[in-house]
Amino acid sequence: MKQLKDILAKSILYGGTDLLTHTQQVVTCISKMSENFKYEFDSKLALKGAILHDLGKAHPKFQKRISGKDKKTLLEKFEDENYILRHEISSMAFLPCFPNEEWPVLIDMVIAHHKSIVSPNYEGRGILDLKTQDRNWIQNHLIEWNDWQKYGIAIIKSFGFDCVDYITLEQAENALKYASQYCEAKKKGWSPYRGLLKAADHFASALEKNAEENLKYTFETPDLSYYRTKDRYNDFYPLSKVTTDDFRPHSMVVAPTGAGKTDFLLRRTKGRVFYTLPFQASIDAMWVRLKKTVPNKDIRVLHGMSKIVADKNNVDEQLLQPLVGSSIKVLTPYQLAGILFGISGFETILLDIQGCDIILDEVHTYSGYSRSMILEIVRVLKNFGCRIHIGTATMPTVLYKELLEILGGKENVYEVKLSDSELSTYNRHNIFKESNKTDINLIIQNSIEKNEKLLIICNTIKKAQIIYKNILYKFPDTPKMLIHSRFKRADRLRRELDLKEIYNGNGENNLGLSPCIVVATQVVEVSLDISFDRMITECAPLDSMIQRFGRVNRIRNEESRLVQKPIHIIEPEGNVLPYKLDLLQKSFEQLPDNGEVLEEKTLQEKIDNVYPHLDKKEIDIHLKFKDGRFTMKELTDNKKGILIEALEIEGATCILESDRERYIESNWDERIRLEIPINWKTIYRYKNEYEQLKVGSYPFVIPQKEEEYEKYGLQLVEQNIIL
């Protein structure tokens, strides 16, 4: 007979945590979370769910497989057997230890904390799938029941709850039947209790023995006193002098880049903050900024690189990033979009965000499906009691009006805009329209001779790579860099830091990078605090171009207010993907030429000329939250592919062939550093050309030379082409 300490919850390969210890960790987490989420939980009942959730792991099949030292995953191991075991289902056999009236909530918490009750991927692992496909599913989940139930009962009693000493096999079978019937009868909606258990289980599993220490810093209201001191008042930043003491819950702020929108939006918050930005580079920069200015320990960043951006020497900080309870979380709207589409974990996101302050920075930068997604996100956030604060430098009036209406109109929204006289102090740029035949090498040479920092922005990665190759050849002695999304995650982070700390330097750093050249894509458009002297840019939609312009002559002081700096815009022609030619032509026509100053006060009218109507894409077919309620069955999830398909976001990864063996042999955090994110539609046409690994994120293996990659980033090529 085994001792209780020998009943494992985790494989030896993953620490070998015993079931009682893991249960204690989850109980600790759920106690804190049930008291701090805005939803009113029955804390005592929540604690019982935490105790129950993994008791099925005492099943002999689970224990046999989890005790092994081979490198197969549990899923692979279980597929070696002739039946499927879901430990959540076996846990249901312990329901007789609790009052019958508590069973529904306990089932909500436990039965789908790993898998939906009906699998969204047709893999047949939910309780209702197994009930349909395996006539012996109950017997399989109770094999040798009389031998192992004592471990679960002992764990329940260890927490001080009265419990029977023995559960008959018939009682256990009836409990499983009840659970399946309960799941079959589920209506449409969402389960807060499922989200609560998932939140606690993930927190405990990620941090284990350090969970309790890290819980101390969760659910704190951030200390934003730095942004509220008089030292932050400055005549050069007009929003710093605008009061934020307004009773209305929501905010909409329209002001140029460099007007102090970030400070203003933060000063408008009252609780925990979710700060959304569209691009990874700006997210990283914002996270670093907040870490330096907000004393709360729990400030997080959430996106594909979050575990890299977090302190590489602080494992807890890496693990915390996707978990609940942070004082401030910096993220993209895609992490919130899971709510709309019912992606796995959406209940936990809802609990975490409910009643918090949400800052949506530069929502106008989205178009098509993404713009429609933002409108739907605002609807769902308002529905769940969030205070929403929107900041933008450029927003079409039609979009502004729709957001204002969603938020409840002027009675509920504090609106702030700058006066024409204030806007005139942001007349920072001389505009030069260039034809497609313009030799940009002459502009580059002129910039170098003037000792300027030059920023070149392209609409596609391929074009950025072509231009960078030309610069390497034509201007070999000028410091230069290339930045876009198709670098390894760790390499991209390094380039982002170089962009801010070296190429954005003032010429007094160690490398003395004036002059210098940076070639980039749209990744530098939004909320990135960099200031260059000159820009060459391909024509883009007007709102995007205005954002790009904000990276030139950004520094605010007495001298800069009297100086304009040059922007060169290449006329759109031919294939202008990813944009539409007519949109770019309209945008190009709105801008002045021949070095004329771009007047900030005229931008709203120009934007409205380009966007007289709100261009939205129909996403209703994918939405699972409509008209204030969820339209999917409780305890079920939607496929993640729906999110990728609807929003056309990066849904695949690549690695270099030179990293193949290292990737296979590495742990999860090292693999992240090697991965190169890519849009699924882009890689799909090559899917038969490249090997796709069956480990980690299932990356495609690209046969590109390392030295070529170091210069240009990922380049998709046919297998037989030598770079």
Side-chain angles (χ1 to χ4, degrees), residues 56 62 106 144 293 401 407 488 563 570 579 627 652 703:
F62 191 95
L106 295 177
E144 300 178 27
T293 57
K401 287 181 177 179
L407 292 175
K488 299 175 191 178
V563 174
I570 308 300
Y579 306 116
D627 302 322

Side-chain angles (χ1 to χ4, degrees), residues 530-712:
I530 56 175
S531 185
F532 281 69
D533 300 311
R534 184 185 297 262
M535 175 182 291
I536 303 172
T537 178
E538 287 191 281
C539 185
L542 183 59
D543 49 342
S544 293
M545 281 199 289
I546 292 169
Q547 281 297 317
R548 295 179 186 187
F549 300 168
R551 308 313 122 191
V552 171
N553 200 17
R554 185 180 177 88
I555 296 172
R556 297 284 289 167
N557 54 40
E558 197 64 51
E559 180 182 350
S560 66
R561 290 175 64 170
L562 304 174
V563 174
Q564 286 82 42
K565 294 195 175 183
I567 306 284
H568 304 266
I569 306 166
I570 308 300
E571 182 180 11
E573 185 178 86
N575 184 350
V576 293
L577 290 176
Y579 306 116
K580 294 181 179 179
L581 182 58
D582 62 336
L583 174 60
L584 299 198
Q585 289 173 333
K586 285 181 183 179
S587 299
F588 194 74
E589 289 169 3
Q590 290 298 315
L591 294 170
D593 192 9
N594 300 316
E596 187 178 338
V597 174
L598 179 62
E599 293 191 58
E600 197 76 23
K601 68 180 182 181
T602 67
L603 291 184
Q604 189 63 58
E605 180 183 358
K606 294 178 186 299
I607 290 169
D608 290 340
N609 289 337
V610 174
Y611 298 105
H613 308 291
L614 186 59
D615 178 22
K616 295 190 293 183
K617 296 290 186 181
E618 186 62 56
I619 62 173
D620 278 3
I621 190 174
H622 301 295
L623 291 177
K624 297 303 177 184
F625 185 87
K626 300 178 184 179
D627 302 322
R629 62 188 181 88
F630 283 97
T631 62
M632 61 194 295
K633 190 172 185 174
E634 279 189 44
L635 307 183
T636 62
D637 303 320
N638 211 344
K639 293 188 294 184
K640 190 173 183 179
I642 295 294
L643 178 64
I644 296 169
E645 176 186 338
L647 303 181
E648 300 177 324
I649 60 176
E650 291 175 342
T653 57
C654 298
I655 60 170
L656 298 184
E657 190 172 55
S658 56
D659 290 328
R660 182 183 183 278
E661 296 306 315
R662 182 181 170 192
Y663 188 89
I664 292 172
E665 296 173 0
S666 293
N667 56 23
W668 58 270
D669 57 334
E670 183 60 29
R671 284 174 176 171
I672 289 173
R673 288 171 163 75
L674 300 175
E675 290 171 355
I676 304 169
I678 193 169
N679 188 292
W680 170 248
K681 287 186 176 181
T682 301
I683 195 65
Y684 182 79
R685 55 183 160 167
Y686 296 102
K687 65 185 179 67
N688 295 323
E689 300 292 330
Y690 300 129
E691 176 190 10
Q692 186 177 15
L693 298 183
K694 301 301 181 185
V695 298
S697 299
Y698 284 37
F700 290 89
V701 181
I702 311 300
Q704 181 179 356
K705 289 184 178 179
E706 188 75 33
E707 56 268 30
E708 290 292 306
Y709 160 79
E710 287 292 337
K711 291 179 182 177
Y712 310 118

Side-chain angles (χ1 to χ4, degrees), residues 127-173:
I127 185 173
L128 299 185
D129 300 317
L130 294 180
K131 181 178 181 180
T132 301
Q133 300 167 11
D134 184 358
R135 64 182 181 180
N136 297 317
W137 70 276
I138 291 179
Q139 293 88 335
N140 291 337
H141 283 85
L142 296 175
I143 284 175
E144 300 178 27
W145 170 245
N146 289 333
D147 294 332
W148 60 273
Q149 64 166 296
K150 57 182 172 286
Y151 302 117
I153 291 172
I155 289 175
I156 294 172
K157 289 184 175 182
S158 74
F159 287 92
F161 287 101
D162 291 332
C163 183
V164 298
D165 294 324
Y166 181 75
I167 303 171
T168 68
L169 181 60
E170 183 181 8
Q171 288 175 315
E173 289 176 343

Side-chain angles (χ1 to χ4, degrees), residues 179-411:
S180 67
Q181 291 165 358
Y182 174 79
C183 291
E184 281 186 328
K186 270 295 185 184
K187 306 297 183 183
K188 293 178 179 178
W190 73 291
S191 172
Y193 277 93
R194 183 195 189 198
L196 174 64
L197 191 280
K198 280 189 157 189
D201 192 26
H202 291 167
F203 203 102
S205 296
L207 294 161
E208 294 189 318
K209 62 182 179 181
N210 296 326
E212 186 170 5
E213 177 63 24
N214 282 281
L215 279 171
K216 295 177 182 177
Y217 308 104
T218 57
F219 298 100
E220 292 180 345
T221 299
D223 178 359
L224 298 173
S225 55
Y226 171 84
Y227 295 95
R228 296 185 171 113
T229 62
K230 289 187 177 181
D231 290 343
R232 300 295 291 175
Y233 295 173
N234 191 314
D235 289 336
F236 296 119
Y237 300 93
L239 287 176
S240 70
K241 307 186 82 172
V242 177
T243 180
T244 55
D245 295 329
D246 187 276
F247 68 92
R248 287 167 285 193
H250 311 302
S251 316
M252 293 185 71
V253 183
V254 181
T257 57
K261 285 195 298 296
T262 297
D263 280 36
F264 183 87
L265 293 170
L266 288 170
R267 286 190 285 123
R268 278 285 288 160
T269 64
K270 296 181 179 179
R272 293 195 295 125
V273 175
F274 286 71
Y275 198 119
T276 76
L277 286 160
F279 296 123
Q280 188 167 286
S282 53
I283 286 174
D284 298 339
M286 181 59 67
W287 180 74
V288 171
R289 174 178 176 179
L290 291 169
K291 288 279 285 186
K292 290 179 178 178
T293 57
V294 180
N296 299 74
K297 186 174 180 179
D298 198 348
I299 314 293
R300 306 186 204 160
V301 58
L302 181 60
H303 55 68
M305 284 174 53
S306 62
K307 293 183 180 66
I308 304 173
V309 177
D311 185 353
K312 65 182 180 181
N313 296 316
N314 186 337
V315 175
D316 280 5
E317 188 171 70
Q318 292 181 33
L319 296 174
L320 270 169
Q321 302 312 312
L323 306 178
V324 301
S326 56
S327 294
I328 302 178
K329 183 173 285 186
V330 189
L331 68 166
T332 72
Y334 297 120
Q335 272 77 36
L336 303 181
I339 301 171
L340 302 177
F341 302 110
I343 307 302
S344 178
F346 77 94
E347 301 102 330
T348 298
I349 299 173
L350 262 183
L351 288 176
D352 196 25
I353 207 166
Q354 187 174 9
C356 292
D357 284 274
I358 317 298
I359 294 175
L360 299 173
D361 202 340
E362 306 300 353
V363 300
H364 71 283
T365 57
Y366 300 88
S367 60
Y369 290 112
S370 294
R371 181 173 286 160
S372 299
M373 178 199 72
I374 288 293
L375 293 171
E376 295 300 331
I377 283 177
V378 171
R379 284 192 178 94
V380 72
L381 293 176
K382 180 175 179 288
N383 191 82
F384 282 88
C386 296
R387 294 174 295 275
I388 300 164
H389 313 286
I390 299 172
T392 180
T394 52
M395 181 184 289
T397 299
V398 286
L399 177 57
Y400 185 97
K401 287 181 177 179
E402 178 145 354
L403 285 167
L404 183 64
E405 181 181 351
I406 291 171
L407 292 175
K410 295 178 180 295
E411 296 80 10

